[in-house]
Amino acid sequence: MFPKENYVQRRSALRKKLDSGIVILPGNSESSMNYPANAFRFRQDSNFLYFFGLDHPDFIGVIDIDDQKDYLFGDDLDMDDIIWMGPQPSLHEMAMEVGVDETGPFGKAEEFIKGAIQKKRKIHLLPPYRGDTKLLLSQITGIRPFNIDLWVSEPLIKAVIALRSYKDDLEIQEIEFAMDIAWEMHTTAMKMARTGVGERKIAGTIEGIALARGNGVSFPIILSINGQTLHNHDHSNILEPGRMMITDAGAESMLHYASDITRTVPVDGKFDQRQRDIYEIVLKANTETIRNIRPGVTNKNLHLMAARIITQGLKELGIMKGNADEAVSMGANALFFPHGLGHMMGLDVHDMEGLGENYVGYNDEFRRSEQFGLAYLRLAKKLEPGFVFTIEPGIYFIPPLFKQWRKEGKFTEFINYDKAEAYLDFGGIRIEDDVLVTGDGYRVLGKPIPKTADEIEAIMS
Ligand code: GLY
Ligand code: MN
């Protein structure tokens, strides 16, 4: 855990951003896999972690805005629990570690919160993303489960985002630790990528690294020779010569800060000309956009810059044609780059996404586009010092999308369908790094992971 002053300070900063009322932050409970006592790995709620730090199930944190008090509700273990799970600190001891004086048994939360509601005090809830949290909130507030969403507090969402968006030095250290694990995961995957090796073996090996050094992966590993499927969690293929393997994977530090890195490498370690041509375009989109990161630049402009580099590069290969700026403003590039340039990263790999993507990545200045491709951009707004986010451009040849667009005759002025058809067996390439916005520029986090074609060929040789 961080020093207790950090948690005290975060709760006090939150208090200053809200007028009145009580903030209810339920932690997560264990979640069963296939029968009640067989649970998934426990993952604490990130907002609870941010303000209350404790990485155990079944707590409710309450921040009283008006009387300056913080409360932690939870149960001490009884002898049965201790026999099965070993001795644990008491609720009071745990509360002291994060600077909370007021504690009570889990069952008391209901009385406390319903009492506050009876007194017509405002309650602030964040949007729950698990069914059992909804039921718990329903129980302790008396609001029917399907009405909980109506009680979600926009001021609280905005206040939490206004705090969690800016990473301090201790948080950056945690992210860099997660990056260090990602370095080992990705360099290991590169060295294993040989004809005849199964995707599952590589994915399992690097997930093992994440578990051995940190708190496991920050999201399910994407590792596939079918990189054209953006979130491909199928690991059933055997690597074949002439294909490329995409690995999009990251780890969590022990305090649950994430890394999220993508590398794409040729099976057997040598790029052929066609692979190198496409690779160099994606690499340029990655490095040029990173080079332009500084406070005040909008991520939407970086996204559009990547889209133009991709369009220009594909034009040079004859796959696209016409005016590149016009092609990008119409969205023609989305046939090959159908996702956004990146997202915020922190305690969640898509940081704070559960609070609402539009609150995290957009504001009054930036409304989300409805154009195919650009609509998937998660972060559009101006970059500020302390933001940590990903830069992850890609080029993909997605046969069903290609066939649909061709049939509809979409953007025939910008897309050379005959030429592009020859790439339908290609797959996809994505290159992703995690970057901190500094006072006057940026810092790519972590130890450099081989990225240029030459560096990749060298480590794989
Ligand atoms: N790394 C997966 C994603 O960013 O969606
Ligand atoms: Mn990502």
Side-chain angles (χ1 to χ4, degrees):
M1 252 180 334
F2 294 129
K4 83 172 173 199
E5 291 71 30
N6 287 42
Y7 301 103
V8 173
Q9 189 274 329
R10 288 169 178 182
R11 294 191 299 268
S12 139
L14 183 70
R15 214 175 248 114
K16 293 201 183 92
K17 290 188 180 295
L18 294 168
D19 293 339
S20 70
I22 57 171
V23 173
I24 306 172
L25 292 172
N28 279 337
S29 302
E30 296 277 13
S31 187
S32 298
M33 283 195 290
N34 52 339
Y35 56 89
N38 208 24
F40 291 105
R41 279 172 73 70
F42 175 69
R43 177 54 158 85
Q44 184 58 288
D45 174 74
S46 297
N47 295 302
F48 185 88
L49 275 177
Y50 187 80
F51 292 103
F52 287 93
L54 298 171
D55 197 6
H56 298 269
D58 300 325
F59 286 127
I60 298 171
V62 173
I63 300 172
D64 194 317
I65 307 299
D66 307 304
D67 79 357
Q68 310 287 318
K69 280 192 183 147
D70 303 320
Y71 299 81
L72 193 66
F73 295 97
D75 289 330
D76 282 319
L77 298 190
D78 61 21
M79 188 48 71
D80 269 1
D81 296 324
I82 291 169
I83 291 167
W84 289 94
M85 299 186 295
Q88 308 281 334
S90 70
L91 173 68
H92 180 70
E93 285 164 338
M94 286 193 270
M96 294 307 282
E97 285 181 61
V98 291
V100 175
D101 300 326
E102 308 285 335
T103 58
F106 199 77
K108 278 273 177 208
E110 181 175 345
E111 189 183 313
F112 181 88
I113 289 158
K114 283 185 174 162
I117 292 172
Q118 261 170 12
K119 287 185 213 138
K120 304 261 185 277
R121 298 194 61 199
K122 169 129 193 67
I123 59 163
H124 295 276
L125 305 178
L126 292 174
Y129 52 89
R130 288 188 181 187
D132 53 0
T133 310
K134 253 188 196 184
L135 290 176
L136 171 67
L137 286 171
S138 173
Q139 171 76 22
I140 60 179
T141 59
I143 302 165
R144 291 150 70 102
F146 288 104
N147 287 341
I148 290 285
D149 291 340
L150 304 174
W151 283 68
V152 162
S153 160
E154 191 176 57
L156 178 59
I157 290 175
K158 289 184 169 168
V160 171
I161 291 172
L163 295 172
R164 282 183 56 188
S165 293
Y166 306 93
K167 274 64 181 180
D168 65 24
D169 290 347
L170 289 178
E171 292 181 289
I172 301 297
Q173 272 177 32
E174 283 294 310
I175 294 173
E176 295 228 73
F177 182 71
M179 300 293 309
D180 208 53
I181 305 173
W183 181 92
E184 193 179 335
M185 292 164 75
H186 281 274
T187 52
T188 301
M190 287 172 185
K191 290 178 194 160
M192 287 179 76
R194 291 285 175 272
T195 292
V197 178
E199 293 168 348
R200 186 180 311 283
K201 181 165 183 176
I202 306 176
T205 302
I206 68 173
E207 181 149 359
I209 294 170
L211 281 164
R213 294 195 52 198
N215 192 64
V217 291
S218 51
F219 60 95
I221 289 175
I222 298 162
L223 186 148
S224 180
I225 50 175
N226 289 315
Q228 75 279 9
T229 302
L230 302 183
H231 278 182
N232 200 336
H233 295 140
D234 174 59
H235 300 143
S236 64
N237 296 300
I238 304 296
L239 271 50
E240 295 164 9
R243 303 297 298 272
M244 299 194 80
M245 179 183 82
I246 198 166
T247 306
D248 183 347
E252 273 195 0
S253 71
M254 291 311 293
L255 297 190
H256 301 286
Y257 284 82
S259 55
D260 180 9
I261 294 288
T262 308
R263 291 292 185 264
T264 312
V265 303
V267 171
D268 295 322
K270 275 268 171 240
F271 287 84
D272 65 26
Q273 193 55 48
R274 194 171 76 145
Q275 291 169 339
R276 194 178 271 262
D277 288 343
I278 301 288
Y279 193 86
E280 291 299 339
I281 303 169
V282 181
L283 182 65
K284 185 172 176 197
N286 167 288
T287 54
E288 278 295 299
T289 49
I290 290 177
R291 235 170 34 81
N292 279 279
I293 294 170
R294 64 183 167 283
V297 167
T298 73
N299 204 50
K300 183 172 178 182
N301 279 341
L302 293 183
H303 172 91
L304 294 173
M305 178 184 291
R308 276 193 298 274
I309 291 168
I310 286 168
T311 303
Q312 187 58 37
L314 292 176
K315 247 181 85 174
E316 281 157 26
L317 295 178
I319 295 170
M320 291 188 75
K321 56 188 178 177
N323 181 293
D325 289 347
E326 248 173 70
V328 169
S329 69
M330 306 278 288
N333 57 282
L335 177 57
F336 308 106
F337 175 37
H339 61 75
L341 186 63
H343 50 86
M344 299 281 261
M345 195 186 77
L347 274 168
D348 307 302
V349 65
H350 289 182
D351 210 23
M352 304 171 279
E353 193 165 294
L355 301 180
E357 267 183 14
N358 287 346
Y359 289 117
V360 179
Y362 292 79
N363 52 26
D364 294 340
E365 226 178 312
F366 290 95
R367 294 273 160 228
R368 191 185 277 258
S369 163
E370 289 179 1
Q371 187 185 71
F372 176 74
L374 192 52
Y376 295 123
L377 180 62
R378 295 189 158 100
L379 172 64
K381 68 190 184 189
K382 268 189 196 135
L383 301 174
E384 296 180 57
F387 281 15
V388 172
F389 71 116
T390 69
I391 292 278
E392 49 180 309
I395 294 179
Y396 313 87
F397 295 91
I398 307 169
L401 184 64
F402 173 90
K403 284 176 193 146
Q404 189 195 63
W405 278 36
R406 177 167 223 179
K407 199 162 128 216
E408 290 171 3
K410 257 183 114 156
F411 297 127
T412 46
E413 68 277 40
F414 298 122
I415 295 163
N416 188 345
Y417 283 98
D418 284 340
K419 188 86 187 189
E421 187 155 29
Y423 287 78
L424 289 186
D425 62 346
F426 184 91
I429 292 175
R430 177 164 64 253
I431 307 174
E432 176 177 25
D433 290 304
D434 303 337
V435 188
L436 165 71
V437 184
T438 61
D440 57 358
Y442 67 91
R443 184 155 70 81
V444 179
L445 296 174
K447 199 158 54 162
I449 298 171
K451 185 159 88 165
T452 66
D454 288 348
E455 285 164 357
I456 287 171
E457 289 191 346
I459 189 173
M460 292 178 76
S461 70

